[in-house]
Amino acid sequence: MTVYKRRGEETLPTLPFNTRSQILNMAELHYGSSPGTKLDQTCVFCLIAHNQDKETEVIKENKELVCFRDIVPAAPHHYLVVPKQHIRSCLSLHRGHVHLVERMADMGKAVLRDQGITNMKDISLGFHQPPYTSVDHLHLHVLAPASQIYKHMMYKFIPKSLRKNVYRSV
């Protein structure tokens, strides 16, 4: 018998799992996709990442990530770095994603350098936590100069708040 518990709006099965399909269904509910799923046709960031959105200009891309401008910029330079694989949010990340997050930060910093930003101490990199996300697809905000984040947008980018988890590289 499978026991269910509430987690936000989701109902997640708890152990014991009876079949492989139950495990995959649980992963889909929790992570937003089954393991190995790369594209969610209902996700705008998936469409952008897979070149199916003709309006968004991709600034930088590799086999795993894409970077493009935020449509509601909070600073003179505001970009989003998005994995091509659909991952629902930063709450879906686990230890196995550490290198992915590092590569996301590296791409964001490379885009800033390409755009002429030289002061890497005056940047902000971070994720918003649900329910403060507008798109349910993991995306790293890359802002520069951080000292010039627009006053009317400052509340969205307060470090170490529920609205933003700041990623700091060493």
Side-chain angles (χ1 to χ4, degrees), residues 27-43:
E28 186 169 353
L29 282 171
H30 184 67
Y31 296 112
S33 63
S34 297
T37 300
K38 296 200 182 253
L39 176 65
D40 175 346
Q41 291 287 343
T42 64
C43 172

Side-chain angles (χ1 to χ4, degrees), residues 31-33 37-38 40 43 46 84-88 136-137:
Y31 296 112
S33 63
T37 300
K38 296 200 182 253
D40 175 346
C43 172
C46 279
K84 290 183 177 182
Q85 179 177 2
H86 185 82
I87 300 172
R88 184 173 284 177
D136 285 335
H137 186 124

Side-chain angles (χ1 to χ4, degrees), residues 8-70:
E9 295 180 355
E10 308 165 342
T11 302
L12 299 176
T14 58
L15 293 174
F17 294 108
N18 296 321
T19 66
R20 175 174 157 69
S21 65
Q22 282 181 312
I23 294 170
L24 293 175
N25 287 340
M26 196 279 298
E28 186 169 353
L29 282 171
H30 184 67
Y31 296 112
S33 63
S34 297
T37 300
K38 296 200 182 253
L39 176 65
D40 175 346
Q41 291 287 343
T42 64
C43 172
V44 67
F45 286 176
C46 279
L47 298 176
I48 293 168
H50 293 275
N51 298 313
Q52 294 184 13
D53 179 278
K54 302 301 178 206
E55 296 178 26
T56 304
E57 176 191 354
V58 172
I59 296 170
K60 196 169 196 72
E61 178 176 13
N62 62 29
K63 65 179 180 163
E64 171 182 50
L65 305 168
V66 296
C67 181
F68 51 91
R69 292 185 198 318
D70 192 302

Side-chain angles (χ1 to χ4, degrees), residues 72-74 127-129 131-134 143 146 149-166:
V72 184
F127 301 101
H128 292 300
Q129 288 191 110
Y132 303 105
T133 53
S134 56
L143 296 100
I149 294 176
Y150 306 135
K151 290 188 188 332
H152 69 283
M153 298 290 272
M154 284 294 281
Y155 75 96
K156 292 178 81 174
F157 298 96
I158 300 169
K160 297 182 183 174
S161 71
L162 287 178
R163 288 193 178 269
K164 184 168 186 227
N165 286 330
V166 177

